[in-house]
Amino acid sequence: MRKPPITIEDSKVPRLPSERPGPEGGKRDANRRQQVARICEAALELFCAAGVESVTIDDIVSKAGVAKGSFYRYFQGKEELVDALFSPVADRMREALATCELDMKQARGPSELTRVYGSLGLAVAGIIAANLGVLRLYLQESRGPDLGSRKPIVALSRDLEETAFELTRVAREHGLLRTDYDYRLGTLVSIGAIERLLAAYLAGELFTESTDIAGELIRVILDGIRAATPQA
Amino acid sequence: MRKPPITIEDSKVPRLPSERPGPEGGKRDANRRQQVARICEAALELFCAAGVESVTIDDIVSKAGVAKGSFYRYFQGKEELVDALFSPVADRMREALATCELDMKQARGPSELTRVYGSLGLAVAGIIAANLGVLRLYLQESRGPDLGSRKPIVALSRDLEETAFELTRVAREHGLLRTDYDYRLGTLVSIGAIERLLAAYLAGELFTESTDIAGELIRVILDGIRAATPQA
DNA sequence: AAATATAATGACCAAATCGTCACTGTTTTC
DNA sequence: GAAAACAGTGACGATTTGGTCATTATATTT
């Protein structure tokens, strides 16, 4: 348990040494992007293989073929790097959920509910298909302690869960869900099931076609909704 | 990523310095048990709070109020300590699943299947109720990389999953399950849902009574089975 | 092309961590 | 009670790690 150094809350990633120089299409700009990309790519692989906490800065720069000083030019430390890896994905996910929530508020009747969940599923599938490495890391780390460099991952996990609860709550208000029932249970069941199936799929444990997996997911979620419906 | 030292595969925990001395009811015996207990207790708390990989031997001995040399008298290192924490629970789980598998082989018809799953659920509930700390650690670590001191946890996770698959397979052969369907999907859904609900419950996120949670779990598992039943 | 601004580098330091061991304390045996 | 076996201790050396910085290399501006 290496004691974390005192850090000053700071701006976004990648970090600006003082201020980014003017020209944007220039060689500097390209080099910078390349350095950051190299670091991120190497880090993601290492994180997936050994876990965020176990990977050292030396491991990362060594694999990335970059000097240690360069790393600290772009990132304050591992936590900021992790945040940089997750930020874009997190944004897209939040966006998809927000859209879904709007849809949900206009939904009328059970069939509309199903349609709304369906289009959320499509959106999410697109996001994760484009970010398999990050997804894998997420599944691996999101239940760990909310400390150190894992913080951004756990924060995302909590955020998504919260939004999923909210979504179910809206569905209950606008749909036909019972109120004597803790709607979070069904939500948690869905999240757990989805994550477990995805993990198995990514690990190559399943020989099932992804369409079949999708079918199973739909079944789980619909069952979850149905259970919250007045004696369907 | 500290390189692991070369270790010789060795016998069980707790470790014998040369050979344990004769008398069993004596003071020595009591002291040894107390040392081991102190270490395990402190370690479990720290592991839950910060994650197995982040906790150092110094943290553990400091919290346990024990000298570092004493730690190494009883354990070869962190991995062996983790194994010592999980071994008893793992044994009881395997036992419960084995019993269930025998039951399952004698089950006839859907109602019997339900009964068999029910009694497995009771057995498992008893085990985890008596080992909440270990359960929490399991949920937190079981999806991490299979390296270092996390190994025993991941190994248990894989083992349990394998057995759960086997159980479903037996149910399919003896019950009425479709064969054109990857029976592992339903199993994974159940595992994921159970684990997620337990994690939320342990984290105190749920104000639901544990009986209601149990009801939700039963629903999930039965739905999982039903889905594998010829067009119920 | 010279001057300036920005970026990359890796040797270096301090702190942390592991695992050992010579020594002291305690229990058992004779 | 003396001797022998076992257990507990924490200082120590070796290694690893995070983070810095003077120096060198590269890009941009003049």
Side-chain angles (χ1 to χ4, degrees):
Chain A
M1 253 195 288
R2 188 174 274 266
K3 302 295 170 296
I6 314 101
T7 64
I8 298 114
E9 277 300 317
D10 218 339
S11 56
K12 267 300 167 191
V13 271
R15 193 156 67 99
L16 346 175
S18 60
E19 201 57 45
R20 283 278 123 90
E24 287 314 315
K27 220 165 193 171
R28 285 256 159 93
D29 196 50
N31 286 344
R32 278 185 310 239
R33 287 172 201 279
Q34 190 187 37
Q35 289 281 87
V36 171
R38 271 189 193 167
I39 292 171
C40 286
E41 200 175 338
L44 186 55
E45 273 190 50
L46 289 170
F47 287 162
C48 283
V52 166
E53 289 296 339
S54 299
V55 175
T56 68
I57 308 293
D58 283 300
D59 290 332
I60 297 171
V61 297
S62 161
K63 171 145 194 165
V66 154
K68 206 197 268 201
S70 300
F71 175 89
Y72 283 101
R73 170 174 293 279
Y74 292 105
F75 303 98
Q76 294 209 353
K78 239 191 334 183
E79 183 179 339
E80 202 177 89
L81 170 57
V82 171
D83 195 62
L85 286 173
F86 276 83
S87 270
V89 186
D91 289 346
R92 294 194 56 191
M93 284 294 292
R94 278 187 260 265
E95 196 185 344
L97 282 166
T99 303
C100 179
E101 195 172 329
L102 287 181
D103 282 3
M104 187 68 82
K105 283 180 176 159
Q106 300 178 341
R108 296 286 174 271
S111 76
E112 286 274 303
L113 279 187
T114 312
R115 190 190 54 74
V116 170
Y117 276 119
S119 77
L120 171 62
L122 273 182
V124 171
I127 296 171
I128 68 184
N131 297 279
L132 290 182
V134 173
L135 170 64
R136 199 177 145 176
L137 190 55
Y138 175 85
L139 294 174
Q140 191 175 94
E141 303 280 347
S142 59
R143 294 209 196 142
D146 188 14
L147 292 173
S149 29
R150 207 187 287 107
K151 264 186 187 167
I153 307 180
V154 178
L156 174 60
S157 167
R158 300 220 167 120
D159 193 13
L160 293 182
E161 181 178 301
E162 207 52 55
T163 313
F165 284 157
E166 178 64 11
L167 208 55
T168 314
R169 203 188 55 74
V170 171
R172 184 176 67 166
E173 285 186 357
H174 286 251
L176 311 161
L177 310 192
R178 285 157 52 181
T179 52
D180 65 329
Y181 176 89
D182 189 340
Y183 58 90
R184 289 174 304 178
L185 291 184
T187 311
L188 287 172
V189 164
S190 298
I191 292 176
I194 291 170
E195 290 189 359
R196 196 69 195 76
L197 282 179
L198 284 175
Y201 181 67
L202 285 187
E205 290 176 28
L206 259 30
F207 298 106
T208 315
E209 290 299 318
S210 43
T211 52
D212 288 348
I213 297 177
E216 180 73 6
L217 285 179
I218 291 169
R219 179 187 72 74
V220 172
I221 294 170
L222 292 187
D223 279 352
I225 298 169
R226 210 178 294 144
T229 305
Q231 273 69 325
Chain B
M1 251 193 291
R2 188 174 274 266
K3 303 296 172 295
I6 315 102
T7 64
I8 298 114
E9 277 300 316
D10 218 338
S11 56
K12 267 299 167 188
V13 271
R15 191 158 67 99
L16 346 175
S18 59
E19 200 58 46
R20 282 278 125 88
E24 287 314 316
K27 222 164 191 172
R28 284 255 159 92
D29 195 49
N31 287 344
R32 278 186 309 239
R33 286 172 202 280
Q34 190 188 33
Q35 290 282 85
V36 171
R38 272 189 192 165
I39 293 172
C40 286
E41 200 174 338
L44 185 54
E45 272 189 51
L46 289 170
F47 287 161
C48 282
V52 166
E53 289 295 338
S54 299
V55 176
T56 68
I57 307 293
D58 282 299
D59 291 332
I60 297 170
V61 298
S62 161
K63 172 145 192 164
V66 155
K68 206 198 270 200
S70 300
F71 175 90
Y72 283 102
R73 171 175 292 279
Y74 292 105
F75 303 99
Q76 294 208 353
K78 240 190 337 182
E79 182 179 339
E80 201 177 89
L81 169 57
V82 171
D83 195 62
L85 286 172
F86 276 84
S87 270
V89 185
D91 288 346
R92 293 194 56 190
M93 285 294 293
R94 277 188 260 267
E95 195 185 344
L97 282 166
T99 302
C100 180
E101 195 172 330
L102 286 181
D103 282 3
M104 187 69 81
K105 283 182 177 159
Q106 299 179 342
R108 296 286 175 272
S111 76
E112 288 273 302
L113 279 186
T114 312
R115 189 189 55 74
V116 169
Y117 276 119
S119 76
L120 171 63
L122 274 183
V124 171
I127 297 171
I128 68 185
N131 297 280
L132 289 181
V134 173
L135 170 64
R136 202 178 143 175
L137 189 55
Y138 175 85
L139 293 175
Q140 188 177 283
E141 303 280 349
S142 60
R143 293 209 197 142
D146 189 13
L147 291 172
S149 28
R150 206 187 288 107
K151 264 186 187 168
I153 307 181
V154 177
L156 173 61
S157 167
R158 300 218 167 122
D159 191 13
L160 293 182
E161 181 179 302
E162 208 50 56
T163 313
F165 283 157
E166 178 64 11
L167 208 55
T168 315
R169 203 187 54 73
V170 171
R172 182 175 70 167
E173 285 188 355
H174 286 252
L176 309 161
L177 310 190
R178 286 158 49 183
T179 53
D180 64 330
Y181 175 88
D182 190 341
Y183 58 90
R184 289 173 304 178
L185 291 184
T187 310
L188 288 171
V189 165
S190 297
I191 292 177
I194 291 170
E195 290 188 359
R196 197 68 194 77
L197 282 180
L198 284 174
Y201 182 66
L202 285 188
E205 289 176 28
L206 260 29
F207 298 105
T208 314
E209 290 298 320
S210 44
T211 53
D212 288 349
I213 297 177
E216 180 73 6
L217 285 180
I218 290 168
R219 181 188 70 75
V220 172
I221 294 171
L222 292 187
D223 280 351
I225 298 170
R226 213 178 293 145
T229 304
Q231 271 70 323

